[in-house]
Amino acid sequence: MNRSSLLSAGPTEVDALADVAGLLHALSDPHRLAILEHLTLGEHRVVDLTAHLGLAQSTVSKHLACLRDCGLVVSRPSGRASLISLAQPELTRELVRAAERLLAVTGGPCGRD
């Protein structure tokens, strides 16, 4: 098989999982997970999330951009601010709980030295 036929062979298994990897990347940061957890309580302004997390507004905004790019959060204007909420609240809760259950049965945290 030559190189050009390999390139035109179509998407590989790895290519097919790229979107899943992107979603898991969005969930790989504890601050982003804390934002998602806090949003399970309802809509919040960025300033509310900033105060809750104790992070700079620019940091929270970057985390929100990542979550928005993956379709996990949405925003709507409210006066001069924006209200942030979960795009799919129930599915997001289920996903986080499934990760917690998997972690519980596999013996604890991974990726920490």
Side-chain angles (χ1 to χ4, degrees):
M1 197 177 256
N2 64 32
R3 185 168 194 260
S4 64
S5 64
L6 284 174
L7 293 176
S8 63
T12 65
E13 181 180 3
V14 171
D15 294 333
L17 293 171
D19 289 341
V20 173
L23 175 65
L24 293 175
H25 170 74
L27 299 172
S28 70
D29 185 280
H31 291 114
R32 288 192 289 268
L33 286 172
I35 290 170
L36 293 175
E37 284 285 326
H38 200 60
L39 291 174
T40 63
L41 303 172
E43 292 180 314
H44 287 81
R45 299 173 300 158
V46 174
V47 68
D48 301 327
L49 295 169
T50 299
H52 176 72
L53 296 167
L55 297 173
Q57 183 272 328
S58 61
T59 302
V60 171
S61 291
K62 287 179 186 176
H63 285 309
L64 288 171
C66 176
L67 295 170
R68 192 176 305 117
D69 289 347
C70 287
L72 294 171
V73 300
V74 293
S75 64
R76 68 177 181 87
S78 177
R80 292 179 35 193
S82 292
L83 290 172
I84 313 297
S85 61
L86 295 174
Q88 299 291 327
E90 200 54 43
L91 287 174
T92 302
R93 281 188 208 98
E94 287 178 32
L95 179 60
V96 172
R97 298 305 169 255
E100 291 170 343
R101 287 192 308 272
L102 183 59
L103 190 57
V105 298
T106 58
C110 61
R112 289 194 203 166
D113 294 326

